[in-house]
């Protein structure tokens, strides 16, 4: 399958097309609203591709990047920068400046006063525990707060004093006056402002009261002229509150909230909170550890941005809850790398191969194609001399018919080079093979041997005298269980082999391998230089994916 980036159709795009056709909207505005409390993950990539994809595909459409920053205790400006970087890397551009919900704190405060003035909000002094008790549950109605009928003037006075910092955290809150008997718990007089004496990464110490998500989000959407506010299904029962707030304040815009199912991915956690715990517990090194399903982790591992966009397109957008196979993400990555990754040679677990009939003083530059199926990718020259490295797994003293590699007294082709025959080998005191001695046939460069000899199999190699040492980090999925989020103890679900480190050699052409640039290491897998740890003095390559699916 080729990766042509065509617009996918889905129920949300159908709604948008209807709205354009009926003239409900002349232009379309979406937004991507991350909370800056962690790094973006593959689930966010789905939401980004949906929101920014719509902005790209419709004329007069745009998408805002808005940080949903109402909880200063959990947020950090480092996350803001990381998120901007990830969205840009994925290939998208937001409209105008980056926005923050905190840009609207003054307006939000004014709208809260409007609600109080129209007797639709009140200052409540119930404790957290009492508030919970009064709220009731799914089977029993809630009870009205004893503070619910406070006179408007008193509410205005107390709310102003909450803002002025006169009251302790938790002692008071502003609540919308809706319906304590509503079957929808979200409508039972939700809290819309709380006291928090916290420094905010954008507004510093200007505020000691902060608006709650449900009050903030809909108003921010309306202020920005968002027409379609797309969110995941868990917000379905927030929608009546979203609409209630906008219906009860003096704002004309009425954005429409539409929910879609979140991405769940096999073997993968998609929750910032849980991913953050993996770092805290030293299970991974950082947010961009190549085993993390974060955008920065996948980038560092070598997943091309286009393959993540392709994946988002293939999984589609629906309201059905489901879990996507990890193999389908990897298939998108492999298809991209197979087409775009130049071939090179690297030996990950080296033993020496000595060609006894090759002149000691001689060395050659052999021409190798960079891609067997794509001539446009050109060729390169690879040094070849009497001593080479091959992979330990590519030589056996004896092997059955299925073992199409080098066997004692048998011939094999060295990729892009000659046919050699293994004549002898040496071992160390523990019996490990340390070197293999062979002889080559000078007449077999670039052509098959004559006299009816059949050479089955090709192995890769690196010149032992002209190469670069390198570290290889072989990554695999972090969890062995299908749904790690359901595990009581995440430790028992870990894959002990999620990272295996090897030390070997790469061909000289990889000396200045650009970080994140994909290569196919012949017969080994897709690799890229690590964007943090690799340098000319110490090359480090991450395995992006094995050549074929292994599970
Ligand atoms: P997390 O639980 O990881 O913190 P979140 O939903 O709280 O996720 P936000 O920063 O609030 O994270 O999310 C920004 C946007 O990304 C929201 O619109 C949210 O619905 C969407 N999103 C988050 N996770 C997923 C997912 N797994 N699939 C699709 N969209 C998602
Ligand atoms: Mg969240």
């Amino acid at each position: 399958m080729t990766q042509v980036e065509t617009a996918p159709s889905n129920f949300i795009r159908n709604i948008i097309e209807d709205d354009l056709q009926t003239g409900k909207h002349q232009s379309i505005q979406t937004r991507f609203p991350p909370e800056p409390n962690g790094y973006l993950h593959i689930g966010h990539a789905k939401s980004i591709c949906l929101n920014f994809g719509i902005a790209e595909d419709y004329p007069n459409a745009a998408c805002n990047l808005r940080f949903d920053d109402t909880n200063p205790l959990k947020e950090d400006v480092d996350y803001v920068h990381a998120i901007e970087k990830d969205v840009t890397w994925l290939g998208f551009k937001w409209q105008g400046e980056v926005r923050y919900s905190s840009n609207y704190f003054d307006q939000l405060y004014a709208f809260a006063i409007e609600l109080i003035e129209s007797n639709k909000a009140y200052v409540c002094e119930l404790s957290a525990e009492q508030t919970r008790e009064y709220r009731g549950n799914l089977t029993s109605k809630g009870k009205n707060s004893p503070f619910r009928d406070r006179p408007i003037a008193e509410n205005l006075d107390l709310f102003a004093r909450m803002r002025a910092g006169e009251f302790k955290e938790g002692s008071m809150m502003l609540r919308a006056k809706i319906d304590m008997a509503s079957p929808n718990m979200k409508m039972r007089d939700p809290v819309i402002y709380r006291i928090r004496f916290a420094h905010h990464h954008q507004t510093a110490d200007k505020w000691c009261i902060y608006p709650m998500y449900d009050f903030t989000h809909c108003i921010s959407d309306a202020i920005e002229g968002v027409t379609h506010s797309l969110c995941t299904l868990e917000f379905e029962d927030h929608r009546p509150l979203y609409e209630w707030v906008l219906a009860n304040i003096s704002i004309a815009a009425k954005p429409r909230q539409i929910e879609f199912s979140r991405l769940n991915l096999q073997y993968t956690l998609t929750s910032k909170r849980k991913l953050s715990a993996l770092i805290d517990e030293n299970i991974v090194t950082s947010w961009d550890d190549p085993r993390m399903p974060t955008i920065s982790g996948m980038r560092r591992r070598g997943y091309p941005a286009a393959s993540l966009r392709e994946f988002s397109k293939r999984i589609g957008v629906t309201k059905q809850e489901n879990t996507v196979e990890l193999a389908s993400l990897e298939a998108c990555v492999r298809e991209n790398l197979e087409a775009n990754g130049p071939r090179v040679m690297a030996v990950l677990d080296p033993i020496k191969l000595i060609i006894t009939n090759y002149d000691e003083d001689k060395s050659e530059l052999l021409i190798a194609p960079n891609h067997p199926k794509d001539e446009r990718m050109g060729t390169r020259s690879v040094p070849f001399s009497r001593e080479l490295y091959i992979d330990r797994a590519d030589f056996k003293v004896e092997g059955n018919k299925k073992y199409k590699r080098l066997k004692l007294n048998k011939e094999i082709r060295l990729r892009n080079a000659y046919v050699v025959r293994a004549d002898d080998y040496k071992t160390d005191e523990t019996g490990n093979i340390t070197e293999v001695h062979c002889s080559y046939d000078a007449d077999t460069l670039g052509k098959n041997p004559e006299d009816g000899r059949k050479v089955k199999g090709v192995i890769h190699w690196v010149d032992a005298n002209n190469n670069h040492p390198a570290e290889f980090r072989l990554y695999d999925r972090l969890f062995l269980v299908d749904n790690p989020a359901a595990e009581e103890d995440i430790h028992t679900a870990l894959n002990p082999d999620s990272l295996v480190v090897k030390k070997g050699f790469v061909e000289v052409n990889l000396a200045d391998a650009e970080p994140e640039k994909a290569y196919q290491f012949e017969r080994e897998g897709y690799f890229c230089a690590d964007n943090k740890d690799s340098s000319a003095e110490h090359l480090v390559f991450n395995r992006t994916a094995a050549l074929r699916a292994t599970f």
Side-chain angles (χ1 to χ4, degrees):
M1 212 179 298
T2 51
Q3 301 193 347
V4 196
E5 295 193 30
T6 51
S9 178
N10 59 53
F11 79 99
I12 294 176
R13 283 173 178 256
N14 292 343
I15 292 172
I16 288 174
E17 278 156 32
D18 272 356
D19 289 348
L20 286 169
Q21 209 140 48
T22 60
K24 182 178 176 192
H25 297 295
Q26 264 69 52
S27 57
I28 301 299
Q29 179 72 53
T30 58
R31 86 287 170 263
F32 173 64
E35 185 181 357
N37 63 346
Y39 279 55
L40 299 180
H41 51 63
I42 182 80
H44 295 110
K46 172 177 178 174
S47 177
I48 292 169
C49 291
L50 172 63
N51 282 293
F52 285 96
I54 286 169
E56 280 182 353
D57 292 341
Y58 294 95
N60 302 324
C63 180
N64 292 349
L65 173 62
R66 183 206 313 145
F67 288 99
D68 179 11
D69 57 347
T70 55
N71 188 357
L73 294 181
K74 290 194 183 155
E75 297 161 6
D76 197 294
V77 71
D78 288 348
Y79 295 134
V80 169
H81 297 316
I83 289 170
E84 290 173 7
K85 201 168 139 189
D86 287 347
V87 172
T88 304
W89 177 75
L90 265 181
F92 297 108
K93 256 189 139 142
W94 49 87
Q95 168 179 244
E97 297 286 300
V98 167
R99 291 143 216 264
Y100 297 87
S101 295
S102 57
N103 292 158
Y104 314 130
F105 279 176
D106 285 313
Q107 283 151 287
L108 290 159
Y109 182 75
F111 285 128
I113 289 175
E114 267 189 25
L115 285 181
I116 298 174
E117 283 171 340
S118 58
N119 202 16
K120 284 174 183 143
Y122 61 98
V123 173
C124 182
E125 291 171 57
L126 290 179
S127 67
E129 202 190 315
Q130 288 168 320
T131 307
R132 216 171 304 126
E133 207 181 288
Y134 274 69
R135 188 173 290 130
N137 55 38
L138 287 173
T139 53
S140 70
K141 292 178 183 174
K143 277 192 304 194
N144 284 352
S145 158
F147 303 99
R148 201 173 199 259
D149 294 319
R150 244 182 184 139
I152 292 173
E154 194 178 314
N155 282 318
L156 286 171
D157 174 60
L158 288 174
F159 189 50
R161 288 164 62 195
M162 276 169 66
R163 179 190 182 169
E166 286 187 31
F167 307 115
K168 284 202 312 249
E169 274 187 20
S171 65
M172 288 187 190
M173 56 206 168
L174 187 69
R175 295 177 71 177
K177 196 185 283 190
I178 309 181
D179 180 8
M180 290 305 290
S182 172
N184 182 342
M185 301 287 287
K186 300 282 180 230
M187 299 296 271
R188 295 186 184 175
D189 290 9
V191 178
I192 57 177
Y193 262 92
R194 59 182 170 182
I195 302 172
R196 278 269 189 282
F197 289 93
H199 183 84
H200 189 286
H201 52 98
Q202 301 300 318
T203 58
D205 298 309
K206 179 174 175 191
W207 296 90
C208 64
I209 54 171
Y210 288 96
M212 302 297 286
Y213 171 86
D214 284 316
F215 182 67
T216 310
H217 202 83
C218 52
I219 297 177
S220 307
D221 282 346
I223 291 172
E224 293 179 9
V226 168
T227 52
H228 301 80
S229 177
L230 314 178
C231 61
T232 35
L233 279 176
E234 62 274 22
F235 289 96
E236 200 160 21
D237 60 348
H238 297 237
R239 186 174 358 117
L241 177 53
Y242 184 103
E243 290 170 355
W244 183 92
V245 171
L246 294 180
N248 286 284
I249 59 171
S250 60
I251 200 160
K254 300 285 182 259
R256 173 172 174 189
Q257 175 180 312
I258 306 170
E259 309 86 19
F260 62 94
S261 60
R262 51 181 288 122
L263 167 68
N264 300 306
L265 186 63
Q266 230 184 356
Y267 306 114
T268 307
L269 291 175
T270 44
S271 143
K272 283 180 276 186
R273 190 175 52 79
K274 290 187 172 144
L275 293 175
S276 170
L278 298 178
I279 303 166
D280 296 340
E281 295 187 41
N282 292 317
I283 291 171
V284 297
T285 55
S286 52
W287 283 103
D288 66 351
D289 186 301
R291 291 166 294 180
M292 289 282 261
T294 51
I295 293 176
S296 53
M298 293 186 288
R299 172 182 182 175
R300 186 171 170 194
R301 178 151 166 180
Y303 286 18
S307 68
L308 298 183
R309 293 196 299 268
E310 173 67 17
F311 173 68
S312 297
K313 193 176 91 187
R314 287 190 196 173
I315 57 177
V317 177
T318 68
K319 277 184 177 287
Q320 260 73 57
E321 292 280 10
N322 70 338
T323 299
V324 176
E325 286 181 12
L326 184 56
S328 66
L329 171 61
E330 295 190 338
C332 292
V333 172
R334 278 198 192 91
E335 280 170 31
N336 187 304
L337 300 181
E338 164 62 26
N340 302 315
R343 271 50 168 179
V344 287
M345 293 193 285
V347 174
L348 279 57
D349 185 9
I351 54 170
K352 258 204 184 151
L353 182 75
I354 298 171
I355 309 168
T356 50
N357 61 340
Y358 193 93
D359 193 340
E360 260 181 75
D361 306 321
K362 189 176 167 186
S363 75
E364 305 176 67
L365 283 176
L366 303 181
I367 303 300
N370 290 331
H371 198 292
K373 293 185 205 125
D374 189 348
E375 279 182 18
R376 291 167 307 173
M377 287 175 72
T379 59
R380 67 190 191 283
S381 37
V382 189
F384 183 93
S385 64
R386 187 173 188 265
E387 295 195 2
L388 309 174
Y389 289 115
I390 61 168
D391 198 277
R392 181 172 298 282
D394 283 341
F395 173 74
K396 274 188 183 174
V397 178
E398 280 175 70
N400 63 20
K401 278 218 174 81
K402 277 196 193 146
Y403 185 78
K404 294 201 177 71
R405 311 184 196 181
L406 188 57
K407 289 177 257 196
L408 193 63
N409 300 321
K410 293 276 177 345
E411 288 188 318
I412 193 87
R413 176 171 290 282
L414 296 173
R415 173 78 90 213
N416 305 314
Y418 302 95
V419 168
V420 294
R421 166 189 294 272
D423 305 315
D424 196 6
Y425 62 97
K426 279 194 179 157
T427 57
D428 62 15
E429 54 281 5
T430 61
N432 276 332
I433 293 170
T434 51
E435 56 184 59
V436 178
H437 292 193
C438 68
S439 42
Y440 87 119
D441 180 344
D443 211 27
T444 53
L445 183 63
K447 60 178 185 192
N448 285 325
E450 283 160 9
D451 357 311
R453 277 147 65 199
K454 278 210 181 101
V455 178
K456 282 209 180 114
V458 181
I459 63 172
H460 61 282
W461 50 273
V462 169
D463 190 332
N465 301 308
N466 198 356
N467 60 48
H468 289 285
E471 175 180 326
F472 304 97
R473 297 178 181 169
L474 309 185
Y475 292 107
D476 198 355
R477 65 199 150 125
L478 193 51
F479 296 104
L480 293 172
V481 299
D482 211 71
N483 180 13
E487 288 302 295
E488 227 165 85
D489 178 6
I490 205 83
H491 297 87
T492 58
L494 287 170
N495 176 5
D497 298 322
S498 64
L499 170 58
V500 174
V501 177
K502 301 219 168 181
K503 297 235 157 100
F505 301 93
V506 295
E507 64 173 68
V508 282
N509 299 297
L510 281 167
D512 46 11
E514 214 179 291
E516 299 168 17
K517 179 181 156 53
Y519 290 95
Q520 184 180 135
F521 287 5
E522 300 246 21
R523 301 178 62 242
E524 293 288 0
Y526 301 101
F527 286 76
C528 72
D530 189 77
N531 65 16
K532 264 189 173 167
D533 298 340
S534 189
S535 65
E537 296 73 45
H538 181 69
L539 290 171
V540 178
F541 290 95
N542 297 328
R543 186 173 68 192
T544 309
L547 289 177
R548 278 169 291 277
T550 48
F551 60 91

